[in-house]
Amino acid sequence: MAPSEQPRITTHIMARILAAILGIALLLPLLWSAKVNAAVALDAPYQFVAADDDVLPTAFDAVPDWLDKHKDIKRLPLSGGQFYLAVPFMVNENRSDWVVNLHNSIAEKVDYLVLGRDGSRQLASSGYYAPYQYLFDYGRNVTLRYGVEYWLLVRVESRYFSSFPKLEINPAPEHRQLTDGLAVAVLLCLGGLLFIAFYNLLIYGSTRDKAFLYYGLYVIVYLLGWAFTFHVPAQLLGIHAIGVHHVFFIGLPIFNILFYKHFLQLPSNSPRLWRLSQYLLWACILALPTSWLLISYTAIIASVLIGAWIVLAIVAGNVCLMKGFSPARYFIMAFSCLLLPAMLILPGNMGLTSDIIEYAEFATLAGGTADALLLSLALANKLKLLSEERKAYIEELSSAWEKARVDSLTQIGNRYAFDEYLQTCHTFGEAVTKPTALVLLDVDGIKKVNDTLGHQVGDELLRTLVQELKSLDIPKLKLFRVGGDEFALFLDGAFLSLVTSKLENIETIFARQGFTDAGVSFGYALDSEVHKSHEWLRSADTSMYSLKAEKRRELAVDAMEA
């Protein structure tokens, strides 16, 4: 594949991925509308710490007294622990199949207890390690009756919370539709990330540009981080490794900094920003062990590092764009796509606020997928620029090469071009089937023309000679100016007499154009008469100087007779 075609193909493929991502984005309103239109409205739940010796109420009427024994807390700490959430509700729809669900955060163990005023009691368990009923979800089926009052008591236990947990109660069919749609959207995003990663690693294999290598690794790390966040390995592969979830998110800045170091050429464009990036890179490397050593605080640590990285990357991109690096515009757009959902989810991950929108994690995944796409476009644009620069350099080099082989005055080949062409001639003597003639000639009287009429007139004399030789219209005639007044011709031996006839009468042509004191001396040799190229050149040269000597003798005789 030609280098110039590669960027166009890359852009075409990435455009298709963008269309897929936009399709995924259209699922979000459907997901939210499904939730808003179908869910049971819940008040803010009571929240308090769960003690090991707590005994859960067994009846609806016992719940208020049980709540009075516990001290309500404003919000659950993200550092994890054991907690109860309790909320009263009533179903106002005449359907019985419902789903209770704790969402918006990872939770290692979730126990649901639903107590009804009608005496019903339903218990269900869920969580990170439990078998799932709904993809990437902690939901459990319960049976509820229209008009009956209920208490939902939830005991949640986890070594950390990625954000503040939320409760929801949805009709089972709508919840199935909601979770299936979300699962499809998640898998599409992850599949898009996988494609982008391996495509860029493939490009690295052919270009050896480290920007593609680190970018491909960055996307793989991003993919793995979100795959574990949405429990894809846990639910589909049975791989439970909560201690490595944030290894991938802390690793994001590491590979991305290495990527934009090469992509933005940051050490040369902004040494100060590169130093700051190096500090952040080492901070992330040192923070990697916190994913299992300080698991209760790793979500907060990762959020702080990611926030600092996004801000630093956007600043670096803007600095490089202002310095004229045009692919940085895609880089900035990419991190803008990442910044918006990050602003929605990172404050919640750090415990500053509740999530502003529902399914903020999926919104961040979709934004990150768009980020990956735009960064791929940035790399494709860089590859295109490099290809264009390479093409321009080759054209410039080719032009310089041609100019170096052309005589500027007569626009025919120069001595370098003559020597180069002579070296390509390898057939001589009896091996020649169609003889080629080498003609050497000197312009006589050029010094006198220059001294009496000026160098411009002398230059015109040389151009006139070349024009007269070209006017013979001999096929495959090669003309070279090998010295100030020396020329060489290569031509088919069958046209040799035509050239010699022209040269014998050239003085008459010169005289008609005002060059009365000028003429030429020439000699020639055939490649069939010699065995080596240097012999060919020497034979033609000897022939020319023999003619020169003869002309001098004739001039001397004429002078004596006069």
Side-chain angles (χ1 to χ4, degrees):
M1 184 183 299
S4 60
E5 294 175 359
Q6 200 170 39
R8 290 198 295 268
I9 295 174
T10 303
T11 305
H12 179 67
I13 293 173
M14 292 306 170
R16 292 188 175 185
I17 300 174
L18 178 59
I21 293 172
L22 292 176
I24 294 170
L26 293 176
L27 290 173
L28 281 173
L30 298 177
L31 295 174
W32 290 332
S33 64
K35 175 179 175 58
V36 171
N37 294 331
V40 173
L42 297 177
D43 295 330
Y46 298 96
Q47 300 177 135
F48 44 88
V49 176
D52 293 334
D53 57 351
D54 271 332
V55 178
L56 289 172
T58 58
F60 177 89
D61 293 333
V63 174
D65 292 336
W66 181 75
L67 291 176
D68 289 340
K69 298 177 182 178
H70 297 86
K71 182 179 180 182
D72 193 27
I73 58 177
K74 186 176 181 181
R75 59 178 59 176
L76 272 59
L78 297 185
S79 56
Q82 303 176 33
F83 303 92
Y84 281 112
L85 288 78
V87 61
F89 68 94
M90 177 184 292
V91 175
N92 293 317
E93 293 188 37
N94 191 18
R95 59 171 81 188
S96 59
D97 296 331
W98 293 82
V99 175
V100 293
N101 183 40
L102 181 138
H103 68 104
N104 201 55
S105 173
I106 190 170
E108 295 184 81
K109 186 177 180 181
V110 182
D111 294 320
Y112 301 107
L113 176 61
V114 180
L115 299 174
R117 188 177 287 278
D118 60 354
S120 61
R121 185 175 186 272
Q122 300 176 71
L123 184 65
S125 294
S126 184
Y128 179 66
Y129 299 99
Y132 65 90
Q133 289 185 359
Y134 298 91
L135 278 173
F136 316 149
D137 188 79
Y138 297 143
R140 286 294 184 263
N141 294 325
V142 293
T143 300
L144 303 175
R145 292 172 55 194
Y146 172 73
V148 175
E149 294 180 335
Y150 293 94
W151 275 101
L152 172 61
L153 308 179
V154 181
R155 189 180 190 278
V156 57
E157 178 180 341
S158 190
R159 281 173 284 178
Y160 76 89
F161 298 110
S162 53
S163 189
F164 297 118
K166 295 181 180 180
L167 296 175
E168 63 180 4
I169 302 175
N170 297 324
E174 282 82 350
H175 191 78
R176 174 71 66 183
Q177 179 182 1
L178 180 72
T179 55
D180 287 352
L182 183 62
V184 169
V186 167
L187 293 176
L188 280 173
C189 284
L190 296 179
L193 290 170
L194 185 64
F195 172 81
I196 292 171
F198 280 102
Y199 186 83
N200 281 277
L201 291 176
L202 184 64
I203 296 295
Y204 166 72
S206 61
T207 64
R208 293 296 168 181
D209 186 337
K210 288 186 178 180
F212 288 94
L213 170 65
Y214 290 124
Y215 178 67
L217 295 175
Y218 158 75
V219 175
I220 289 175
V221 169
Y222 190 80
L223 182 157
L224 291 172
W226 282 110
F228 275 96
T229 296
F230 284 98
H231 300 3
V232 175
Q235 295 192 0
L236 300 187
L237 304 175
I239 299 174
H240 300 86
I242 195 171
V244 303
H245 282 207
H246 284 86
V247 167
F248 302 112
F249 287 113
I250 294 174
L252 283 178
I254 297 173
F255 289 105
N256 194 268
I257 288 170
L258 293 172
F259 155 67
Y260 71 66
K261 169 196 173 183
H262 294 278
F263 176 73
L264 297 176
Q265 299 170 3
L266 198 60
S268 58
N269 282 331
S270 180
R272 181 176 298 178
L273 284 174
W274 170 233
R275 282 196 299 272
L276 290 174
S277 298
Q278 285 179 298
Y279 296 149
L280 180 58
L281 185 148
W282 281 107
C284 292
I285 292 174
L286 294 174
L288 286 174
T290 64
S291 296
W292 58 89
L293 297 179
L294 297 173
I295 193 171
S296 296
Y297 303 97
T298 187
I300 299 173
I301 294 170
S303 298
V304 172
L305 293 172
I306 289 172
W309 153 59
I310 293 174
V311 172
L312 186 58
I314 291 177
V315 172
N318 278 283
V319 168
C320 292
L321 182 63
M322 288 188 291
K323 291 191 175 183
F325 185 64
S326 60
R329 66 182 185 272
Y330 290 110
F331 184 87
I332 297 168
M333 290 170 60
F335 274 90
S336 297
C337 289
L338 197 59
L339 178 63
L340 180 59
M343 291 174 62
L344 300 177
I345 194 173
L346 288 180
N349 289 349
M350 290 186 286
L352 301 177
T353 63
S354 298
D355 289 339
I356 299 173
I357 61 172
E358 294 290 338
Y359 304 104
E361 289 180 336
F362 173 72
T364 308
L365 172 60
T369 308
D371 162 75
L373 170 66
L374 288 169
L375 286 179
S376 291
L377 290 176
L379 282 168
N381 187 251
K382 179 188 177 184
L383 194 63
K384 180 181 177 182
L385 289 178
L386 290 175
S387 177
E388 290 174 350
E389 289 175 3
R390 178 175 176 268
K391 182 180 178 182
Y393 175 74
I394 291 174
E395 290 176 352
E396 183 180 350
L397 187 63
S398 177
S399 176
W401 178 264
E402 289 300 323
K403 289 178 181 179
R405 301 169 69 251
V406 174
D407 177 58
S408 60
L409 176 64
T410 60
Q411 296 302 305
I412 61 176
N414 58 16
R415 180 55 187 258
Y416 178 81
F418 169 78
D419 291 338
E420 185 181 62
Y421 184 78
L422 187 61
Q423 290 173 6
T424 65
C425 300
H426 302 293
T427 306
F428 298 97
E430 295 178 356
V432 175
T433 57
K434 192 175 181 181
T436 298
L438 167 60
V439 180
L440 298 179
L441 63 92
D442 276 355
V443 178
D444 300 326
I446 186 69
K447 184 176 186 304
K448 187 175 180 181
V449 172
N450 286 337
D451 292 342
T452 58
L453 301 177
H455 285 84
Q456 289 183 341
V457 177
D459 292 344
E460 186 60 33
L461 171 62
L462 298 179
R463 284 193 288 264
T464 299
L465 173 62
V466 171
Q467 290 169 5
E468 289 298 325
L469 292 172
K470 286 183 175 180
S471 68
L472 294 174
D473 198 22
I474 297 174
K476 299 182 180 179
L477 174 65
K478 301 289 185 182
L479 282 171
F480 301 93
R481 184 185 179 195
V482 295
D485 58 356
E486 299 173 357
F487 293 82
L489 297 79
F490 290 95
L491 65 146
D492 190 328
F495 296 95
L496 181 58
S497 60
L498 180 62
V499 172
T500 58
S501 176
K502 169 68 78 171
L503 294 176
E504 288 169 353
N505 295 289
I506 199 71
E507 291 183 7
T508 304
I509 297 171
F510 284 168
R512 284 202 303 265
Q513 298 190 27
F515 307 116
T516 55
D517 296 323
V520 296
S521 298
F522 66 91
Y524 59 85
L526 297 173
D527 57 357
S528 59
E529 299 172 345
V530 296
H531 297 90
K532 298 289 183 180
S533 60
H534 67 273
E535 295 177 6
W536 195 18
L537 180 59
R538 185 173 62 225
S539 178
D541 197 46
T542 301
S543 174
M544 181 183 70
Y545 279 99
S546 295
L547 181 59
K548 272 183 173 288
E550 184 179 345
K551 287 179 70 174
R552 290 194 191 100
R553 285 194 299 270
E554 291 177 356
L555 289 173
V557 171
D558 290 344
M560 290 175 64
E561 291 178 352

